[in-house]
Amino acid sequence: MNAVVIILAGGEAFGVASVRFELLLSTILFLSREGMRNVLLRIDADRSAGSQVRPNTDRSNVHRRRPPVHEQRIINAALIPIGAGIAMASALYIYYVAYGPRSSASADQPHYYVSLTLYILAAWVELCVEPLFALSRSRMLFKLQAKCEGIAVAGRCTSVVLVLLVGRYPGGGIGGNPFKLAAFAVGQMAYAVLILLSYLWTMSCELEYSVWSCYLPRRVALDLEGKQVSYIGPAVKGLAVTLVGQSLLKHFLTQGDNMVMAKFATPAEMGTFAFISNYGSIPARIVFLPLEEASRAMFSKMANRGSGSASVDDAGFFGMSADDARISRHVLTTLGKLHLLIGTILLVFGTLLSPTLLSLIGQRDLAMQHTLAAYCIYLPFMGMNGFLEAFAHCVATKKQLLRISTWMSCFTVVYALFAIQMLHGLELGSAGMVIANMVNMALRISYCWRFISQWFERLGVGGGPRLSAMLPHPAVLYTCLLSGA
């Protein structure tokens, strides 16, 4: 699909849409909802007020007018990103229109500001999914989430290709396609609308009350006596401030490459980086991301089951029972072994076969070959960092989260300096950006590994996961080594 799109739209339009516009979209969505999503994982429904009121599985009562207390708390918190995202999107749109460059390689693309407007509107629509997404994750409906995501992604791909094909003819060919940038904006709008409609339909079949109740905030009791009434509670508010700040930092860490590319790279370099990122990140989207989300939900429930959403023991960390801690360590070890096994295979075969793989989709550019080879090495770093950070964020206290933020800030500075040096000093282009990302992930993995090891030691269950237990079997290593030779 990417090969078809880059042929129809051209590398420059593909780069502007995939770097500049995706950076804008991810800034709105990530800063609006990521912090609150992590907060919602900390809400312990089993110990909140009204926890005795369970969702009624009797389908004869599908017309219940209001959600249970613990789900209403989740709904109240999940509505916050909608308002925050609308305010942020409006501010960014005004900034882009008022202070954006009127003439540049990016702004000179046809329908640039129309596409910008569509991306902003798509962000608003997508944020309306938050209450339904939060409830689906609370009920661990991962299959439902994957189904909705699949429908939306298919709609986006289809919309992009159709608009590009429509614009190909009046423009006099591929190079003159007047809709080459607007097609990506239309595709993003189609994705937002479809994922919202999919969640509305599927959750209406799961919930025991009207799906429209998920968009009505209501005060709920915070104690069994009902003396304290609030929308989300002071404990959640305090944690939200910490985790939203953490999300801001995490956004700079995860989107640092796009920020540097948007500032210093040409549209052609953006196109190369975006093309390889889309292809190279397929294993991450299909395998690593679902595992990270599932493990994050499991780790959070285990931590809450041991200590409560805001309870901290005398040692200064969220508690967890010894059995749950051992299960968590086993899961971490298993995930690490899977990522290193996949990484070993990619390291050998991905780097060697990257020219062949690119030639199969009609791309023989040398810069793309170097970037894809580097990305194959980068993938296991990305996967390891994902589940290690997921565990650290689930068990860390507010004080520890602030300490993590401090270290991540230092890593961000190192990464930014290294990335600029790779891009401009050594002129390695998009391959240099991937190398800088490897350095960034290695620093984050090292810190999270140290934090997790100390956490298990203080819990007294025999230490954290061991790297030696995560390594692939020697026979696999020897086979890959011989194959590469």
Side-chain angles (χ1 to χ4, degrees), residues 2-3 6-7 272 275-277 279-280 350-374 376:
N2 280 328
I6 200 171
I7 291 174
T272 299
F275 182 78
I276 297 301
S277 296
Y279 267 105
T351 54
L352 292 177
L353 299 178
S354 57
T356 304
L357 294 174
L358 288 173
S359 65
L360 292 176
I361 56 177
Q363 302 296 327
R364 295 179 175 82
D365 184 68
L366 188 61
M368 284 192 177
Q369 296 177 12
H370 293 163
T371 306
L372 180 58
C376 290

Side-chain angles (χ1 to χ4, degrees), residues 318-361:
F318 278 97
M320 184 183 290
S321 67
D323 290 339
D324 284 345
R326 293 188 183 95
I327 293 174
S328 298
R329 182 174 57 195
H330 178 70
V331 171
L332 288 171
T333 302
T334 304
L335 289 173
K337 194 162 189 174
L338 173 64
H339 284 76
L340 290 180
L341 175 62
I342 296 175
T344 302
I345 297 173
L346 289 173
L347 176 63
V348 176
F349 297 101
T351 54
L352 292 177
L353 299 178
S354 57
T356 304
L357 294 174
L358 288 173
S359 65
L360 292 176
I361 56 177

Side-chain angles (χ1 to χ4, degrees), residues 27-45:
T27 299
I28 297 171
L29 296 178
F30 195 89
L31 297 185
S32 300
R33 69 188 184 187
E34 186 67 18
M36 190 55 67
R37 283 186 174 184
N38 290 332
V39 170
L40 290 173
L41 287 174
R42 296 290 189 94
I43 294 180
D44 184 10

Side-chain angles (χ1 to χ4, degrees), residues 31-333:
L31 297 185
S32 300
R33 69 188 184 187
E34 186 67 18
M36 190 55 67
R37 283 186 174 184
N38 290 332
V39 170
L40 290 173
L41 287 174
R42 296 290 189 94
I43 294 180
D44 184 10
D46 290 335
R47 296 192 179 185
S48 63
S51 61
Q52 291 83 358
V53 181
R54 300 293 181 185
N56 187 359
T57 56
D58 182 4
R59 300 309 296 175
S60 63
N61 193 24
V62 294
H63 298 298
R64 174 188 290 175
R65 298 181 64 183
R66 292 190 177 187
V69 172
H70 62 279
E71 290 196 346
Q72 185 62 58
R73 290 184 66 199
I74 293 175
I75 291 171
N76 292 341
L79 289 173
I80 295 176
I82 299 179
I86 290 176
M88 186 182 304
S90 301
L92 286 174
Y93 179 77
I94 294 173
Y95 174 81
Y96 266 71
V97 173
Y99 301 102
R102 292 297 176 181
S103 179
S104 67
S106 298
D108 289 341
Q109 295 288 329
H111 304 299
Y112 178 83
Y113 286 100
V114 173
S115 303
L116 174 66
T117 304
L118 285 176
Y119 266 91
I120 294 290
L121 293 175
W124 290 351
V125 175
E126 189 172 346
L127 283 172
C128 294
V129 178
E130 281 308 291
L132 304 176
F133 174 85
L135 289 175
S136 67
R137 187 165 65 171
S138 175
R139 298 186 176 204
M140 304 189 77
L141 301 175
F142 301 121
K143 185 177 180 180
L144 181 147
Q145 294 176 359
K147 179 181 178 180
C148 295
E149 182 73 18
I151 293 173
V153 169
R156 175 169 56 190
C157 296
T158 303
S159 300
V160 171
V161 173
L162 288 178
V163 175
L164 286 173
L165 289 175
V166 169
R168 177 178 178 178
Y169 297 101
I174 296 175
N177 194 328
F179 300 147
K180 58 184 179 181
L181 188 59
F184 297 99
V186 172
Q188 188 60 43
M189 177 60 75
Y191 172 89
V193 172
L194 285 174
I195 198 168
L196 176 59
L197 294 177
S198 298
Y199 267 100
L200 287 171
W201 173 256
T202 54
M203 289 302 291
S204 66
C205 300
E206 294 287 341
L207 298 176
E208 298 78 23
Y209 44 88
S210 172
V211 71
W212 304 112
S213 298
C214 299
Y215 295 94
L216 297 177
R218 295 184 178 94
R219 293 180 180 270
V220 295
L222 302 180
D223 56 359
L224 294 177
E225 292 78 16
K227 296 180 179 179
Q228 297 182 356
V229 179
S230 178
Y231 286 102
I232 56 177
V236 176
K237 291 179 183 178
L239 187 60
V241 174
T242 301
L243 291 179
V244 168
Q246 182 76 11
S247 298
L248 177 62
L249 178 61
K250 186 177 180 180
H251 178 66
F252 282 103
L253 288 170
T254 55
Q255 293 293 326
D257 48 6
N258 282 341
M259 293 179 184
V260 174
M261 293 291 290
K263 179 66 176 178
F264 296 101
T266 64
E269 290 175 331
M270 293 182 196
T272 299
F273 182 79
F275 182 78
I276 297 301
S277 296
N278 286 338
Y279 267 105
S281 61
I282 289 176
R285 295 195 301 267
I286 295 177
V287 180
F288 297 163
L289 183 59
L291 287 175
E292 178 184 341
E293 290 295 328
S295 63
R296 187 189 299 271
M298 188 196 73
F299 294 146
S300 179
K301 286 185 178 295
M302 286 183 173
N304 286 335
R305 188 162 60 215
S307 66
S309 61
S311 174
V312 182
D313 65 10
D314 294 335
F317 59 90
F318 278 97
M320 184 183 290
S321 67
D323 290 339
D324 284 345
R326 293 188 183 95
I327 293 174
S328 298
R329 182 174 57 195
H330 178 70
V331 171
L332 288 171
T333 302

